[in-house]
Amino acid sequence: MTQDKPDLTAAYALASTAETKRLYSDWAQSYDLSFAAKESYHLPWQTARAFVAAGGQGPVLDAGAGTGLCGQALFDLGVAPLEATDISPDMLAQALQKDIYRDVIEADLLSGIPVPRGSYQGVVSSGTFTHGHIGPEALPALMRVAASGAQFALSINAKFYVKAGFDQALERLQNGGWIRELTLPEVAIYGEDADEAHRKDTAYIALFKKS
Ligand SMILES: C[S@@+](CC[C@H](N)C(=O)[O-])C[C@H]1O[C@@H](n2cnc3c(N)ncnc32)[C@H](O)[C@@H]1O
């Protein structure tokens, strides 16, 4: 169940698509200040930097883009063009205001993304593969819209990684020859001045190329 106040505790407890849409609708306007800035939320930057360091280039899809913090980091690093997709129209409305995305696409990553197969040379995602959100079931939709050779950089909460089955899902993709050059650097999600409950939380950045 969601709580009245949109925050990380409520987000980690989400249990349905309806709850997800409601929480992020309530959170959209204040997310960047009440959460990202206040908690020194570094993950969007970590994800974008890892993508660029791996040689990632546009066009890039930012999956679960929210208010566009990862897109903003990519934009600042000179990556273009960028497109955003998210299940929450209210979060996407905030992302659009940043004026960094060529397009925004409202979609449930678990149902597919309505763009042609092979549209992107890069796929990033920050903060969406985590507790109360979505797991490896979303990987086929992301693989479908990526071109052959596309660079992926997907953050996955470290405590959620095995629990959600990302270890097995990525192993299957690798063993099946669908992806190559998989690495999983571990990064801090928040800065040292974040709330004590989450200050030490980490995420893996799943870096790989679509074969
Ligand atoms: C914690 S926010 C992260 C937003 C942004 N990437 C960031 O790092 O600030 C998680 C985002 O995932 C989106 N989301 C959750 N479930 C989704 C789904 N099934 N399909 C698409 N987006 C989803 C939410 O609407 C929300 O914007």
Side-chain angles (χ1 to χ4, degrees), residues 27-132:
W27 210 358
Q29 283 207 355
S30 63
Y31 181 93
D32 285 5
L33 287 178
S34 75
F35 168 64
K38 183 165 166 276
E39 298 295 335
S40 305
Y41 177 52
H42 288 170
L43 191 57
W45 280 96
Q46 300 272 29
T47 306
R49 268 198 294 262
F51 176 80
V52 170
Q57 295 176 359
V60 176
L61 180 68
D62 183 0
T67 62
L69 295 175
C70 191
Q72 182 72 64
L74 287 172
F75 182 84
D76 292 347
L77 291 167
V79 179
L82 307 171
E83 296 190 1
T85 186
D86 200 284
I87 200 170
S88 167
D90 301 283
M91 293 292 269
L92 286 178
Q94 296 296 318
L96 255 186
Q97 286 183 19
K98 291 192 167 65
D99 206 17
I100 51 170
Y101 292 109
R102 175 172 74 178
D103 198 7
V104 298
I105 303 149
E106 187 182 330
D108 181 348
L109 291 174
L110 300 178
S111 306
I113 306 158
V115 299
R117 186 178 294 277
S119 292
Y120 302 102
Q121 289 297 330
V123 178
V124 300
S125 183
S126 158
T128 297
F129 294 117
T130 190
H131 311 285

